[in-house]
Amino acid sequence: MSNQTETSEEKEKQPAPKIKVERLEGEPTAAFKGASWAALLVGVTAYFIGLFNATMPLNETGYYLAVLVLGLYSAVSLQKSVRDKDEGIPVTNMYYGISWMALIVSILLMAIGLYNAESIVLSEKGFYGMSFVLSLFASITVQKNIRDTQRARERN
C-alpha cells in the first residue's frame, strides 16, 4: 500500500511532458510571428496615441492619419509584388511601379509634413517618424509571415 502511495506521489512531482508543436518547413516560428504583430501594434498604437494627444488642428491630424494608411498599404503592396516577381508570379509593370511610387510618396509626405509642422516640437517629430517607420517595417514582416505560413501549409 505504501509503495502505491509513493509511486503516485512521485508521479505528481514530475513535471508534465512538454508537447512540441511541429512547425512546417518554411513556416516562421511563433515567436517571430508574435514579435512582428507586436511591433505592428506598438507602432500603430503609438502613432494613434500621438495623434490623439496632439494639439494640432483636425485637418493636420487627418493628414498624418492618411499618410500612415497610405504607407501601410503601399508597403504591403510593394512587398507582395516584389515577392510575386521573385517567385515568377506575373505582376504588371504598372502595378509594380505604382507600388513603389506610393511607398516613396508616403515617406516623402511624412518627411515634408514633419519638416513643415511648426506646431510640433522636434522630439514629437522624431516620435512620429520612428513610429511611422516601425509600422511600415512591421506591416511588411506581418505580410511576409502570413504568406510564408500559407505557402508552408499548401506544401503539406
Side-chain angles (χ1 to χ4, degrees):
M1 190 86 146
S2 65
N3 287 341
Q4 290 177 350
T5 307
E6 290 175 349
T7 308
S8 63
E9 288 176 9
E10 289 175 6
K11 287 181 182 179
E12 289 176 13
K13 291 179 183 178
Q14 294 176 355
K18 293 183 180 179
I19 299 172
K20 184 175 180 181
V21 177
E22 290 294 321
R23 195 168 45 92
L24 301 172
E25 182 178 344
E27 182 182 12
T29 63
F32 188 67
K33 289 178 191 178
S36 300
W37 276 105
L40 180 61
L41 290 174
V42 166
V44 171
T45 302
Y47 194 90
F48 284 161
I49 289 171
L51 285 180
F52 181 76
N53 290 323
T55 57
M56 62 181 85
L58 190 57
N59 64 337
E60 195 173 344
T61 303
Y63 171 83
Y64 288 112
L65 179 62
V67 168
L68 177 66
V69 171
L70 174 63
L72 291 174
Y73 177 78
S74 62
V76 169
S77 182
L78 178 62
Q79 189 274 344
K80 183 182 178 341
S81 61
V82 166
R83 188 156 175 187
D84 283 351
K85 275 188 142 199
D86 185 54
E87 294 175 354
I89 299 170
V91 176
T92 64
N93 287 332
M94 177 70 81
Y95 186 79
Y96 184 70
I98 288 172
S99 297
W100 269 111
M101 184 59 88
L103 182 62
I104 291 167
V105 165
S106 71
I107 293 169
L108 284 175
L109 285 173
M110 177 57 81
I112 291 168
L114 291 176
Y115 179 78
N116 290 321
E118 295 174 4
S119 64
I120 303 175
V121 295
L122 190 57
S123 61
E124 287 180 15
K125 289 179 182 184
F127 170 80
Y128 283 117
M130 290 307 294
S131 60
F132 180 74
V133 170
L134 174 63
S135 298
L136 291 185
F137 178 75
S139 69
I140 292 168
T141 309
V142 166
Q143 160 62 17
K144 180 190 176 311
N145 289 343
I146 290 170
R147 186 152 174 185
D148 287 346
T149 301
Q150 180 182 4
R151 181 71 39 99
R153 288 182 182 161
E154 287 173 358
R155 279 190 223 137
N156 280 343

